[in-house]
Amino acid sequence: MMIKLRYSKRLFKRSSSSSKQQAAPRGGDNGGGGAGEIEWEVRPGGMLVQKREEGRGGQETVTVRVSTGFSWHHVSIGATSTFGELKVMLSMVTGLKTREQRLLFRGKERDDTDHLHMVGVRDKDKVLLLEDPALKDMKLRALSAP
């Protein structure tokens, strides 16, 4: 269900000039009043919220720069994805299994269930990929065993 309400620009003043440009009415100016329209939608929980712009094309994606210490990988992934989903994409690129990977962002190791956007990952941010030291040690022992 969508409801359109009329509003006066004088009631909703924005502080920065960039947001004033975004607040311009969609249908043009109707003459003397300077009135525009705000589109509202009712969410499944019953909350009335301002409708989002459709221009984003669905889910927003970010490009994450992943450093393995000796090489860089650029991975495009949904902004609301988890670090576990990022590990799956990196396993295809690097050949490391997901359980062998440790991802660090802003100096902290992140859990597989942490969402990228919730910890602050933005476009072109750097994530450090390390191989799990315990599994790396077990691999070396298996290779050196007679």
Side-chain angles (χ1 to χ4, degrees):
M1 180 168 108
M2 190 169 65
I3 303 167
K4 290 187 179 182
L5 299 175
R6 311 273 308 151
Y7 74 95
S8 171
K9 284 185 182 177
R10 284 178 260 150
L11 295 175
F12 297 100
K13 289 188 178 184
R14 309 269 179 157
S15 60
S16 69
S17 61
S18 63
S19 62
K20 282 183 183 178
Q21 292 171 353
Q22 294 172 353
R26 287 184 216 134
D29 198 10
N30 291 343
E37 293 180 356
I38 296 178
E39 293 185 17
W40 298 87
E41 64 181 343
V42 178
R43 294 281 171 89
M47 182 182 287
L48 180 67
V49 295
Q50 188 173 353
K51 188 172 183 180
R52 296 181 188 159
E53 293 293 325
E54 300 295 333
R56 292 185 180 177
Q59 186 180 13
E60 187 177 339
T61 60
V62 293
T63 301
V64 180
R65 298 179 308 140
V66 181
S67 171
T68 60
F70 55 88
S71 65
W72 286 88
H73 302 284
H74 295 272
V75 179
S76 293
I77 191 167
T80 58
S81 300
T82 62
F83 278 90
E85 293 167 348
L86 180 59
K87 282 183 176 183
V88 170
M89 294 187 78
L90 287 170
S91 69
M92 292 184 264
V93 175
T94 62
L96 282 175
K97 295 178 184 174
T98 55
R99 61 184 168 84
E100 298 172 351
Q101 298 176 17
R102 295 291 175 255
L103 293 178
L104 282 82
F105 178 68
R106 292 186 181 165
K108 295 180 183 175
E109 184 176 345
R110 302 299 176 170
D111 292 330
D112 290 351
T113 57
D114 289 344
H115 288 268
L116 299 175
H117 70 288
M118 295 300 286
V119 295
V121 176
R122 295 199 172 111
D123 197 33
K124 305 274 192 290
D125 275 354
K126 182 175 99 170
V127 175
L128 184 62
L129 171 64
L130 300 175
E131 189 173 357
D132 186 10
L135 291 172
K136 190 175 183 179
D137 187 42
M138 288 190 332
K139 275 185 187 179
L140 290 173
R141 287 182 186 180
L143 291 174
S144 64

